[in-house]
Amino acid sequence: SSGINAEYGGLQGECVIISQEECEFRQGFFYENNTLCSQVSCITEICGLSGFLFDDIPDQFYRALLPTFMHAGIIHLLITLVFQATILRDQEKFAGWWRIGFIYFASGIGGTMLSAILIPYMPEVGASGALYGILASLLVEVVVNWKIYKSPCIELTKLILLLAILFLVGLLPWIDNFAHIGGFVFGFLTAFVVLPHINYSEEDRIAKMVVQIVCGILAVILFALLFIVFYLAQGSTCENCAYLNCIPFTDSFCQDATMELRPRVGN
């Protein structure tokens, strides 16, 4: 018997009429009573969870936060847990749980949104955006409390080298450098806003307050832009941005990870 199978090829979906046996072999979704693709809502069946505001747009906004709690395996989860038990714990002792929590989740959401816009067909799991935000907060901590460090230049250099290495690793396939970049940017901005700091003079206090206000405004504007682009301009793309996420050393080096950047609609 024939029916409709919302068959996913790679990371993208295709609705085709095939037999139930072939559908099961391909691990697709078989619709016994439907004979036209127009009768099938593939996105609802595949994405699941709650419904959609618009039937033809994947607009489940809470998914901007979900990847922060999801991981691609035990090793991926262990990396996150080790980071949280060491660097994140030390930052929480220094700044308090609510400040670090704010930076963590703001960075995670910001990184996920940037990734969802630029590579919409790549699954997003892991807290890497949030973790890069915490690393950015370490950088900010050194800058705003420069005078209390014995060797601030050395500390800053070590952090910059570490971040440079991590961003270079992010150029490999299946590692989402856009989430890293977005998380770092939002972590950097929000850390200036919420991290505690020492004021050495009235001029220093005013200067730091101005930086806090400017970074806060920039963070809000960037968040607003990301959500506006995601919901209202889903045909947007940035083909030249691909090299920030994966460098194609060979013709097929980035292809398997579906790294080509293209719009979600209008194809």
Side-chain angles (χ1 to χ4, degrees), residues 22-252:
E22 184 177 354
C23 178
E24 293 173 351
F25 176 76
R26 297 187 183 185
Q27 297 181 337
F29 290 79
F30 186 76
Y31 297 83
E32 185 175 359
N33 298 321
N34 296 328
T35 56
L36 298 173
C37 282
S38 59
Q39 297 174 284
V40 176
S41 177
C42 299
I43 193 171
T44 300
E45 293 291 338
I46 301 301
C47 292
L49 296 179
S50 70
F52 299 91
L53 183 62
F54 302 101
D55 292 337
D56 58 343
I57 297 177
D59 53 11
Q60 295 174 331
F61 64 91
Y62 52 84
R63 290 183 181 272
L65 180 61
L66 283 184
T68 304
F69 299 97
M70 302 172 66
H71 293 80
I74 296 298
I75 296 178
H76 192 193
L77 176 61
L78 286 176
I79 292 173
T80 299
L81 292 177
V82 169
F83 184 99
Q84 292 176 342
T86 53
I87 297 174
L88 184 63
R89 184 186 63 177
D90 292 340
Q91 277 296 85
E92 187 176 333
K93 289 180 179 178
F94 163 72
W97 68 267
W98 74 267
R99 292 186 178 92
I100 298 304
F102 180 80
I103 295 171
Y104 188 88
F105 287 112
S107 303
I109 294 172
T112 299
M113 290 301 297
L114 181 63
S115 174
I117 291 169
L118 293 177
I119 43 174
Y121 296 112
M122 181 176 180
E124 178 73 28
V125 292
S128 58
L131 301 185
Y132 272 72
I134 296 300
L135 290 175
S137 74
L138 293 174
L139 205 65
V140 172
E141 179 189 338
V142 174
V143 172
V144 298
N145 298 306
W146 188 267
K147 293 184 180 180
I148 68 174
Y149 283 88
K150 183 178 180 180
S151 303
C153 290
I154 294 177
E155 296 296 328
L156 191 63
T157 301
K158 288 193 295 185
L159 284 172
I160 291 174
L161 287 175
L162 173 62
L163 287 165
I165 292 171
L166 292 174
F167 279 121
L168 287 175
V169 172
L171 296 175
L172 297 174
W174 291 109
I175 299 179
D176 189 356
N177 226 15
F178 289 129
H180 299 169
I181 293 171
F184 178 85
V185 170
F186 280 100
F188 189 81
L189 293 176
T190 54
F192 267 114
V193 176
V194 301
L195 283 186
H197 55 266
I198 300 173
N199 298 318
Y200 299 99
S201 64
E202 182 63 17
E203 291 78 10
D204 183 57
R205 184 188 69 82
I206 294 174
K208 288 177 179 176
M209 183 175 64
V210 170
V211 172
Q212 284 180 307
I213 294 172
V214 171
C215 288
I217 292 173
L218 287 175
V220 171
I221 291 174
L222 285 177
F223 263 120
L225 285 175
L226 287 179
F227 276 91
I228 289 172
V229 170
F230 182 77
Y231 281 104
L232 301 181
Q234 293 201 1
S236 60
T237 187
C238 175
E239 294 183 3
N240 294 327
C241 295
Y243 298 105
L244 294 175
N245 200 41
C246 183
I247 297 180
F249 295 104
T250 65
D251 292 338
S252 61

